[in-house]
Amino acid sequence: MKSKSVFLAAGGLAVAAGIALGANSLVLADEMHRVQLADAAQMAAVKERQELMKSIGGNTKTIADFLKESKGTAGEAQAAAAKISELAKSIPAAFVTEASLSEMDAVGKNRGKPEIWLSWDNFVGRAKSLEDKSAALASAFQGGDSNAIQTAFGDMGKNGCGACHEDFRGPKVE
Ligand code: HEC
């Protein structure tokens, strides 16, 4: 009798364990689903901010083309500088969703370094710096002094774009 009840108890345990296992794998599936959803949100965020950067890059090219190759008009270059200043305001919001280089595989070709989120205030400060420097460039175009325009363009490139990329943009992902 005693051994039978031990057997039953063991069976009961096995059943209980089976149920517990089943419940665990449900929890696991749910967890994986959530991880996949997180990845999808990160993917969308990375894509969105890369598009924003491309747009900022395109406007910068419009200005460089005018200054270096006399393509387009001063008015177009001025408008591009003003546009960069406006786009710079969207940088912080576009980077709110975290995705670090250590998760590159999960989020495509992300180049945002973990430092963005570890040093968020500095990152936001860099975005503000670009906003101000591109606005100063637009004003220089308005003033029409070519030396002032060149200086403002160099300042924006080096201390606006370059400074942020140096601290917060990781290596190119092939
Ligand atoms: C506040 C920080 C910051 C500033 C300011 C900034 N960038 Fe970026 N930029 C980044 C980061 C971070 C990435 C990488 C984004 C990613 O891969 O998710 C990036 C990526 C880019 C890319 C690559 C986009 C792609 O994936 O194809 C270009 C082009 C670019 N930036 C141009 C510029 C130019 C031009 C300026 C200045 C007019 C500028 N950026 C200013 C942070 C900045």
Side-chain angles (χ1 to χ4, degrees), residues 56-67 69 71 80 84 153:
I56 289 175
N59 281 286
T60 304
K61 186 171 184 306
T62 298
I63 303 167
D65 283 351
F66 174 72
L67 294 178
E69 297 171 38
K71 276 196 210 159
I84 293 169
F153 184 61

Side-chain angles (χ1 to χ4, degrees), residues 46 49-50 53-54 56-57 60 84 91 95 109-112 116 123 126-127 130 156 160-161 164-165 168-169:
V46 168
R49 58 208 183 210
Q50 289 179 340
M53 279 297 154
K54 274 182 198 158
I56 289 175
T60 304
I84 293 169
I91 294 177
F95 279 90
K109 301 195 178 234
N110 166 59
R111 291 175 68 187
I116 295 173
F123 182 77
R126 293 286 190 212
L130 175 61
M156 181 190 83
C161 320
C164 188
H165 288 166
F168 297 110
R169 183 167 69 161

Side-chain angles (χ1 to χ4, degrees), residues 127-149:
K128 179 77 175 88
S129 166
L130 175 61
E131 184 187 331
D132 294 345
K133 288 180 190 303
S134 48
L137 176 59
S139 304
F141 270 111
Q142 188 136 37
D145 178 304
S146 69
N147 278 339
I149 292 169

